[in-house]
Amino acid sequence: MIKDPDNPSLYFLQWTGMTVSGKPLAGVSISQYQSTPTIIDSGTVISRIPVNIYEPLRDAFVKAMSTRYPKAPSYSILDTCYYTKPRKTAMTNGRKKEGTMKILIGVPEVSMIFQGGAELKLRPQNVLIELENGVSCLAYAANYATNGLAIIGNTQQKTFRILYDVTNSKIGFAAGGCE
């Protein structure tokens, strides 16, 4: 965690990398990540990242998704959308579960990497946000200010336990948070 005396209520992180399907984003250097002021904010739904990082993310994601799901029209700030028809299951560990759980197959893993080795390995529900039944969009949007702030929103945070150790200026991520 990085402290900013001008913004003491925000939790800043040192972003060091991002991958799609285990591969670093093409054309994005570590200095581009490191020069991006990055906060984690549970009150922001869609993560915002500078366009010079967003476009390589979007391009890698589109390439990985191209054989799996057909493209859907953009929606507001979300320009990478797909027609998704997830399988539904009502069984969990052999027991009937109330409601259904959506399962998307073939969505590439996206990882965000931070100083100190902390890594958010994002599952489909952390990468895509469902807008309506059958249409899901990449849960990132471009921040068009070249050196603009990056905000890691709550779509990426759900399903993780996030530890804010303010005393020792550390943030940790662990799988197994609320679904």
Side-chain angles (χ1 to χ4, degrees):
M1 189 180 324
I2 299 169
K3 294 180 182 177
D4 181 348
D6 294 331
N7 297 292
S9 65
L10 299 177
Y11 296 112
F12 284 85
L13 303 171
Q14 182 63 66
W15 193 10
T16 60
M18 193 165 196
T19 64
V20 174
S21 298
K23 297 177 186 169
L25 299 183
V28 182
S29 68
I30 191 168
S31 65
Q32 286 175 277
Y33 295 108
Q34 291 176 330
S35 65
T36 302
T38 304
I39 64 169
I40 186 165
D41 180 28
S42 62
T44 298
V45 178
I46 304 298
S47 290
R48 309 299 202 292
I49 58 178
V51 69
N52 62 341
I53 299 173
Y54 174 75
E55 288 177 349
L57 166 65
R58 179 199 59 211
D59 295 348
F61 190 79
V62 166
K63 183 178 178 183
M65 289 283 283
S66 65
T67 61
R68 189 58 82 167
Y69 297 99
K71 288 279 285 170
S74 298
Y75 181 82
S76 185
I77 63 171
L78 304 173
D79 66 1
T80 307
C81 301
Y82 297 90
Y83 292 107
T84 54
K85 293 182 181 174
R87 274 189 309 153
K88 294 188 177 191
T89 180
M91 300 297 285
T92 303
N93 296 329
R95 294 179 178 211
K96 188 173 181 179
K97 180 180 176 184
E98 288 185 33
T100 59
M101 179 173 65
K102 296 176 183 176
I103 300 170
L104 291 176
I105 297 175
V107 176
E109 181 180 87
V110 174
S111 288
M112 297 184 78
I113 305 151
F114 303 96
Q115 182 177 2
E119 182 175 4
L120 276 175
K121 289 185 178 185
L122 304 172
R123 299 184 317 186
Q125 65 265 41
N126 304 107
V127 176
L128 293 171
I129 186 166
E130 187 175 34
L131 298 180
E132 57 186 45
N133 191 21
V135 176
S136 299
C137 297
L138 181 63
Y140 287 88
N143 173 353
Y144 285 94
T146 303
N147 291 318
L149 180 72
I151 304 170
I152 302 164
N154 64 33
T155 300
Q156 283 67 42
Q157 296 177 53
K158 69 183 176 183
T159 74
F160 289 95
R161 295 175 191 263
I162 301 177
L163 172 69
Y164 296 87
D165 182 351
V166 178
T167 303
N168 294 307
S169 296
K170 295 187 183 224
I171 293 179
F173 308 104
C178 299
E179 291 287 331

